Amino acid sequence: MARAAAQAGVPGGSGLLSIGQVLAKLNPDFPDLTPSKLRFLEERQLITPARTDSGYRKFSTSDMDRLRFVLSMQRDHYLPLKVIRGYLDELDAGRQPELPGGAVQAPSMLSAERRLTRDELVREAGANPMLLNDAVSASLIVAADTFGEDVLAVLKSLVELQRSGIEPRHLRGFRAAAERELGLIENALMPVARRKDASSRAKAAEMAREIASQLEIVRSSLIRSALTRLDS
């Protein structure tokens, strides 16, 4: 229904936004958003803006909410577009799906992604400033003025790990392992990354998330397999 409506011509457009207006509203939170990336997301059927009789794209309030949701899921939870699209398709069908990895709770498409100050982050995670400092020193969290929900989830996990005697310094190898995985991804993307046009950059970014998602499946399987030794 929504897609059919999007194909129909619309008047020049009270209440609808042009690509330029969309970028002006979203670039403060998503500075890497470009017209090429918007077209890429449309090609992947993540968004379906309406078209004027002249063929110009026009974005409604619901389009903006959907865009903010997709971009937040990419930036803060590193989910591939096909995973996000599957989730949205389920929502569109009237179901109540869960995003992969259960611990990730999708933000409402009707609100902006929440950002936390350092004090808010520490308080909501049930941590203390020293634990956050140690996490930054161990390269588990990147120092910043504000933090997203993904960092909150990491700090909450570190609080729980600390109760078992596992400190951030014990996890320094995680950063090294992540850098090795990044090297694998960069090598795989080299043919696409050589192209400098905006469309290729968007495609490379999406391929990187998809590869990372598959690596996560392999890593989780190895850990589960190793855990069986504790039961024997």
Side-chain angles (χ1 to χ4, degrees):
M1 178 76 70
R3 285 176 184 159
Q7 298 301 321
V10 295
S14 173
L16 298 178
L17 302 178
S18 66
I19 286 181
Q21 291 170 318
V22 169
L23 294 177
K25 285 181 174 292
L26 294 182
N27 273 152
D29 291 327
F30 306 98
D32 61 341
L33 182 62
T34 63
S36 294
K37 183 163 185 178
L38 281 175
R39 287 192 288 270
F40 179 75
L41 293 175
E42 184 179 1
E43 289 170 5
R44 293 298 183 97
Q45 299 181 310
L46 271 299
I47 53 172
T48 52
R51 296 292 186 107
T52 67
D53 292 335
S54 302
Y56 292 105
R57 294 173 177 83
K58 289 292 183 177
F59 296 81
S60 66
T61 299
S62 61
D63 290 327
M64 292 290 289
D65 292 336
R66 197 173 179 101
L67 255 176
R68 188 176 289 278
F69 174 83
V70 170
L71 296 170
S72 295
M73 288 292 96
Q74 280 192 304
R75 182 193 65 191
D76 298 327
H77 302 298
Y78 311 103
L79 292 178
L81 288 182
K82 64 181 181 181
V83 173
I84 300 172
R85 181 185 167 189
Y87 177 83
L88 291 173
D89 286 346
E90 290 286 296
L91 281 182
D92 292 341
R95 292 184 279 272
Q96 297 295 321
E98 289 186 6
L99 283 167
V104 177
Q105 184 176 2
S108 169
M109 281 188 283
L110 301 178
S111 62
E113 172 71 11
R114 192 163 62 118
R115 305 296 294 178
L116 304 170
T117 65
R118 178 187 171 91
D119 289 343
E120 289 170 339
L121 175 68
V122 169
R123 182 173 63 253
E124 292 202 26
N128 58 59
M130 181 62 70
L131 181 62
L132 177 56
N133 290 341
D134 290 345
V136 171
S137 297
S139 299
L140 302 174
I141 291 175
V142 177
D145 293 328
T146 62
F147 304 88
E149 298 281 353
D150 58 327
V151 177
L152 176 59
V154 169
L155 192 57
K156 284 181 176 179
S157 293
L158 292 175
V159 169
E160 295 301 319
L161 289 169
Q162 191 177 52
R163 290 180 179 137
S164 300
I166 300 175
E167 301 287 345
R169 67 178 184 275
H170 300 140
L171 305 177
R172 289 183 186 275
F174 279 43
R175 171 59 61 181
E179 293 296 333
R180 287 195 296 273
E181 288 190 9
L182 179 60
L184 288 174
I185 294 171
E186 287 176 337
N187 287 336
L189 295 179
M190 201 169 292
V192 178
R194 287 197 188 103
R195 306 170 198 156
K196 300 302 181 183
D197 58 287
S199 178
S200 294
R201 289 198 300 270
K203 182 179 180 181
E206 175 54 19
M207 288 176 63
R209 290 186 179 91
E210 290 182 359
I211 295 171
S213 178
Q214 299 306 318
L215 289 173
E216 176 63 28
I217 291 171
V218 174
R219 185 192 310 111
S220 298
S221 175
L222 290 172
I223 292 174
R224 286 195 300 270
S225 177
L227 285 172
T228 59
R229 296 202 299 266
L230 298 180
D231 298 329
S232 57

